[in-house]
Amino acid sequence: MQNITNLAMVLVSLFAFHLGAAEASSTTDRTYPELAGEIDQILKRTRTPGAAVAVFEPDGSVWRYTTGFKNIEHRQKVDRHTVFRVGSVSKILVGLAVMKLVAEKQLTLDDRIADLAPEVEFENPWEDQYPIRLIHLLNHTTGWDAPHPPELVSQNKEPLTIAQTLALHPHSRKSRWVPGSRSAYNNTGPLVAAYIVEKITGERYEDYIQSRFFQPLAMDDSGFYFDDHFRSNAATLYRGSQALPYWHLPNRAAGGMHSSLDDMVRLLRFMQHPEETVDGTVLKADSVRLMERPVGSRAAAAGIEIGWGAGLTSFHHKGQIYYGHEGALPGVRALVAYMPQGKQGHVVLTNGESPAANQIHKLLADYEATKQASEKANPPRSMGHPNASLSGFYQLVSPNAEQWRIAHKLIPWKIAVADGGITVAPLVGGKPRKLSATASGQYLQEGSGRVALVATEDPLLGSVLHYGPMTLKKTGILSALLPLLLVASWLVTTILGLLFLMVWLPRKLFGRNMAVADVRLRSWSIIPVFGVLTAFVGTVMVSRGPEPFALAATMTLPSLMVFIGPIVFVLASLWALRVGYLHRKQTTGGFWRNHAIVLMGLNAVLACFLTGYGVVGLRLWA
């Protein structure tokens, strides 16, 4: 998360404060105008149309701040009842529903999915010895691939049932590793959990949530459907200033909920203190507290305390531990975070695709850190010495999406042993994090004192490290660095080739005599690059389209570009080797001849690398 720029002028803060509709339960806190001003600056800097923010104070009061527009065209302002889509914040409700049925002894977290819902298609090569259990659906340890684009596109205008959605494209539900052994964020597991809720209760999932949670908690603005209430109160979704259409998300239970600022405040207040609900029977505190802890995985058995719980995740900021969830959809970013002890927490809802929600979260966490001492979840521990053998390079072996695992191959991690602990960081683009060693071989997060790294035995890979939600496998220096060096060398050499192309090609076109062999060598060193550019442009077109998954899920121009581009690159690279071989003795010498030969070689090696990682012939619609 990016650093927040503090405003120096109180006058600017006060002006921004009055632009939004601010409501404070406590008017004596003079930092509210400053917070309002900084929130407005974040929205302006990130081009985010509007936001609704709430801060929970230690004394139980709530400061609410709404600012910007829910609809730019009609100049409609955000207010506390504006309805935002909240994306994966919806998964909190899936976790609550399951925990309620567990509390009622209608389910257990160890139930096998094959027993609960044998009609749900999935593949687990280790099912006999390591079955997928209910807890694996909630803590993202099924090993299933990320949903494929066809799973995320509604096939008709009517909302699909959960059973219909699960039948759309079951191919992604294949365990890539032993369930419970590694975690990778997955949107399908919670959907299957919601289906089980339907099957056990005999009610539609959305109806069950409405009667057991929304109504008792007075969450009157919350729901799952594109109904009249939503249309009348919803914030329009934006990418920059471009309004986006409503996405009828088939995976409704895990990402399609909408809610207002006041409703999210009520939900988080309940999560903090379940016993304080009107009748105290929505769900007991011990069930909610269980949602906050990593359970049901090898990492949890080894004592890890930072990672996915049953529908919740944890956030760490300056020694403070929050629980909650983030949410993202096209045109949506949301984040809710609370501390279970005490009364602090915050809600951030935005109607833009910017980093504003995360930046506001950091701003509010900074503010809350000044209000009370950090919540220390663990008693003092016996400290020890770090294991020197941990030092080295690592690869992430639990990618969310199999088709993009090549990206993780290009960014290895490095662990270095330091005094009393270790430092962990990606080799590129990350800040080293220091962890302290305990006598039992666990490693504690600096500030919070939580166990953030443990070593376990993976049934398939042997010794691995679990660092938060990630699983890391030690690798050699060549395996770690060669892919990164290959891509970096290819990029530098390609850029030089393209720059030189702009020099020699015009000269050739305007009649300058050049040897045929030189022209062919230079041309075929560059031609394969246009295959990569084709795939890159197609990827950008998909990601920036108003309905990205619809573009990816069918044979559209962008998805065909992603498919064809790498194939062109591989074929052109192989043909270029032939051209280079045939003309190896006919070209004039010098730097650019050698450059063309080197680029041809790099193209060929990169083509093999991309083919090995499944990038060549990638069909997004399959």
Side-chain angles (χ1 to χ4, degrees):
M1 288 179 281
Q2 299 177 10
N3 292 327
I4 304 301
T5 304
N6 293 317
L7 297 181
M9 299 176 61
V10 176
L11 180 60
V12 175
S13 298
L14 289 171
F15 177 72
F17 174 70
H18 287 295
L19 282 179
E23 176 194 337
S25 299
S26 171
T27 59
T28 60
D29 194 330
R30 298 182 62 174
T31 62
Y32 290 156
E34 296 176 15
L35 286 177
E38 295 198 43
I39 290 169
D40 282 339
Q41 287 298 311
I42 291 171
L43 295 189
K44 181 179 179 180
R45 186 168 61 249
T46 59
R47 298 180 62 212
T48 304
V53 175
V55 177
F56 304 164
E57 296 287 6
D59 63 4
S61 63
V62 180
W63 177 71
R64 296 172 175 84
Y65 181 66
T66 60
T67 183
F69 296 99
K70 70 176 185 179
N71 186 285
I72 296 174
E73 181 182 1
H74 299 291
R75 311 303 288 175
Q76 295 174 317
K77 292 188 175 182
V78 174
D79 60 40
R80 55 191 288 182
H81 295 291
T82 297
V83 174
F84 292 82
R85 302 194 80 180
V86 297
S88 288
V89 174
S90 312
K91 292 178 176 65
I92 296 177
L93 276 300
V94 178
L96 287 171
V98 169
M99 295 308 298
K100 189 170 182 67
L101 295 177
V102 169
E104 295 170 353
K105 302 190 183 306
Q106 298 189 62
L107 289 171
T108 74
L109 292 177
D110 288 330
D111 284 343
R112 295 167 55 124
I113 302 308
D115 295 333
L116 292 173
E119 66 277 15
V120 173
E121 184 179 344
F122 67 89
E123 183 179 348
N124 174 19
W126 308 276
E127 183 68 18
D128 291 340
Q129 187 176 1
Y130 301 106
I132 297 180
R133 302 185 184 277
L134 181 58
I135 184 59
H136 298 149
L137 302 177
L138 300 178
N139 68 6
H140 305 287
T141 59
T142 59
W144 292 346
D145 199 5
H148 298 169
E151 296 176 71
L152 302 171
V153 179
S154 181
Q155 303 300 304
N156 53 54
K157 295 182 180 180
E158 295 299 320
L160 299 180
T161 65
I162 295 179
Q164 289 171 331
T165 298
L166 291 174
L168 279 178
H169 189 86
H171 313 306
S172 66
R173 296 196 295 274
K174 178 179 179 179
S175 295
R176 296 168 290 160
W177 49 77
V178 171
S181 64
R182 311 175 211 169
S183 65
Y185 187 79
N186 183 268
N187 281 298
T188 310
L191 183 66
V192 175
Y195 174 78
I196 291 170
V197 170
E198 287 193 338
K199 187 173 181 181
I200 294 297
T201 64
E203 299 180 53
R204 191 174 62 167
Y205 171 79
E206 295 83 2
D207 294 338
Y208 182 82
I209 296 299
Q210 179 70 33
S211 62
R212 304 315 196 278
F213 296 99
F214 289 167
Q215 289 179 1
L217 298 177
M219 295 175 62
D220 298 331
D221 293 323
S222 299
F224 292 90
Y225 293 101
F226 190 62
D227 53 20
D228 290 340
H229 179 79
F230 178 86
R231 283 189 288 269
S232 299
N233 298 278
T236 303
L237 312 182
Y238 290 96
R239 178 180 294 137
S241 58
Q242 176 192 7
L244 301 178
Y246 182 89
W247 179 18
H248 293 275
L249 181 65
N251 193 343
R252 200 167 44 249
M257 191 177 89
H258 57 256
S259 192
S260 66
L261 180 64
D262 277 2
D263 279 11
M264 285 290 99
V265 168
R266 294 184 182 101
L267 176 63
L268 258 64
R269 278 301 195 208
F270 163 73
M271 299 297 290
Q272 285 179 312
H273 300 287
E275 69 282 358
E276 294 181 5
T277 52
V278 176
D279 57 7
T281 60
V282 175
L283 192 62
K284 299 297 184 183
D286 56 352
S287 295
V288 176
R289 299 290 84 85
L290 182 59
M291 290 176 62
E292 298 163 354
R293 304 200 308 267
V295 292
S297 67
R298 287 179 178 253
I304 201 163
E305 296 169 343
I306 298 293
W308 292 106
L312 292 170
T313 189
S314 55
F315 306 93
H316 168 237
H317 186 77
K318 293 185 177 179
Q320 299 178 121
I321 292 293
Y322 293 92
Y323 297 97
H325 217 295
E326 295 178 83
L329 291 173
V332 172
R333 296 295 184 270
L335 190 150
V336 298
Y338 70 92
M339 288 185 250
Q341 298 149 0
K343 294 184 178 294
Q344 286 190 279
H346 49 266
V347 175
V348 183
L349 307 174
T350 68
N351 60 335
E353 282 189 2
S354 71
N358 276 326
Q359 293 181 17
I360 295 171
H361 158 66
K362 183 181 182 300
L363 171 70
L364 300 182
D366 280 337
Y367 167 80
E368 289 161 356
T370 67
K371 291 292 182 176
Q372 66 178 35
S374 303
E375 292 185 14
K376 301 297 183 182
N378 297 307
R381 307 178 197 244
S382 298
M383 305 309 292
H385 299 286
N387 183 349
S389 67
L390 294 182
S391 181
F393 292 96
Y394 290 78
Q395 291 286 350
L396 186 140
V397 291
S398 55
N400 295 346
E402 192 65 17
Q403 64 186 12
W404 303 121
R405 66 190 173 99
I406 188 173
H408 298 292
K409 184 64 177 177
L410 295 175
I411 307 178
W413 287 70
K414 185 177 182 180
I415 293 180
V417 175
D419 293 338
I422 60 175
T423 59
V424 185
L427 194 61
V428 178
K431 178 182 177 182
R433 302 292 183 182
K434 185 176 181 180
L435 306 177
S436 301
T438 68
S440 59
Q442 300 167 329
Y443 292 83
L444 308 181
Q445 187 180 55
E446 191 174 30
S448 73
R450 295 286 187 104
V451 177
L453 186 146
V454 296
T456 69
E457 286 294 314
D458 187 275
L460 305 180
L461 297 178
S463 298
V464 296
L465 299 179
H466 297 276
Y467 178 45
M470 297 183 296
T471 305
L472 303 173
K473 175 67 178 175
K474 195 170 188 179
T475 188
I477 186 171
L478 289 179
S479 177
L481 298 182
L482 278 181
L484 186 60
L485 291 174
L486 168 64
V487 173
S489 300
W490 179 83
L491 283 173
V492 171
T493 310
T494 296
I495 291 171
L496 284 175
L498 291 171
L499 292 174
F500 185 50
L501 176 69
M502 292 186 289
V503 175
W504 69 261
L505 184 59
R507 293 180 178 179
K508 173 64 178 175
L509 293 176
F510 285 103
R512 178 175 177 177
N513 289 328
M514 295 179 63
V516 173
D518 285 339
V519 173
R520 289 181 177 177
L521 196 68
R522 294 174 184 180
S523 299
W524 280 101
S525 69
I526 288 295
I527 287 173
V529 174
F530 292 97
V532 174
L533 293 176
T534 298
F536 176 76
V537 172
T539 302
V540 172
M541 291 172 66
V542 168
S543 63
R544 302 303 294 173
E547 297 182 86
F549 291 105
L551 288 173
T554 55
M555 294 177 64
T556 59
L557 176 61
S559 64
L560 285 172
M561 292 170 70
V562 173
F563 170 68
I564 293 173
I567 296 176
V568 170
F569 176 72
V570 170
L571 295 178
S573 296
L574 295 176
W575 187 261
L577 290 180
R578 178 180 181 276
V579 171
Y581 178 79
L582 292 176
H583 296 285
R584 65 190 184 281
K585 296 180 180 180
Q586 302 171 14
T587 57
T588 57
F591 174 82
W592 291 111
R593 172 187 178 276
N594 295 331
H595 170 273
I597 292 173
V598 169
L599 183 53
M600 284 179 171
L602 288 173
N603 284 338
V605 175
L606 184 60
C608 294
F609 181 64
L610 296 178
T611 301
Y613 277 86
V615 176
V616 179
L618 179 62
R619 296 175 298 159
L620 297 176
W621 61 86

